[in-house]
Amino acid sequence: VPRIGIGGIMTGRDALEFILAGATAVQVGTANFIEPDAAIKVVEGIEEYVKRHRTKVSELVGAVRV
């Protein structure tokens, strides 16, 4: 079952938390009212993390198990 991360995503780190929990997509909503380029900054944050840790987003999906 696909999971989509929704709610409270303002930064790349927020998005990555949902991805690590199993989300294959994330939604940036209300953050756009506060900062119109919020979605771009979220993507840039994810890109920065992936480059720094030499990984791929697909490898991060669901990487944290409880």
Side-chain angles (χ1 to χ4, degrees):
V1 176
R3 294 178 188 95
I4 301 172
I6 299 172
I9 298 173
M10 305 261 314
T11 66
R13 181 184 173 123
D14 296 334
L16 285 164
E17 288 177 1
F18 280 96
I19 292 167
L20 289 168
T24 55
V26 295
Q27 173 186 312
V28 179
T30 305
N32 290 303
F33 292 117
I34 299 165
E35 203 167 338
D37 62 344
I40 294 168
K41 289 183 178 182
V42 168
V43 170
E44 290 171 346
I46 293 170
E47 287 176 338
E48 179 183 318
Y49 180 90
V50 167
K51 286 178 185 175
R52 186 179 40 211
H53 294 278
R54 297 180 184 159
T55 189
K56 299 176 186 175
V57 174
S58 60
E59 294 174 355
L60 299 174
V61 175
V64 174
R65 306 266 184 220
V66 282

